Amino acid sequence: MPAAHVITPTPQSQLDALIRAGGFWGLAPDWVPRGGYACDRGTLIAALAALRRLAQNEAIRLRRGRSHVH
């Protein structure tokens, strides 16, 4: 009899399964919005650009020796 092939789940596959099963919301605090998320490409691109600007500004601030915002 051949050995059975065992698939070890990865952390990503486990997270995907948890979200598909609806278990994520049981882990999220009550203040996290449950709806109203943007699904269109333009909004996601704008959000990504804003996050990149924030990260770039933080990197510049750290290089200048300022670790906090005035």
Side-chain angles (χ1 to χ4, degrees):
M1 176 176 221
H5 181 68
V6 177
I7 299 174
T8 305
T10 64
Q12 183 62 50
S13 67
Q14 290 175 328
L15 179 60
D16 292 344
L18 175 69
I19 291 171
R20 274 194 308 277
F24 173 79
W25 295 119
L27 302 173
D30 289 338
W31 56 265
V32 174
R34 288 348 192 225
Y37 295 104
C39 300
D40 65 287
R41 183 174 167 81
T43 301
L44 296 174
I45 289 171
L48 179 59
L51 290 171
R52 285 182 175 152
R53 283 192 305 272
L54 286 170
Q56 183 179 24
N57 289 341
E58 183 63 22
I60 291 169
R61 191 171 22 258
L62 289 172
R63 278 196 307 262
R64 292 180 179 167
R66 290 184 262 154
S67 60
H68 62 279
V69 178
H70 293 275

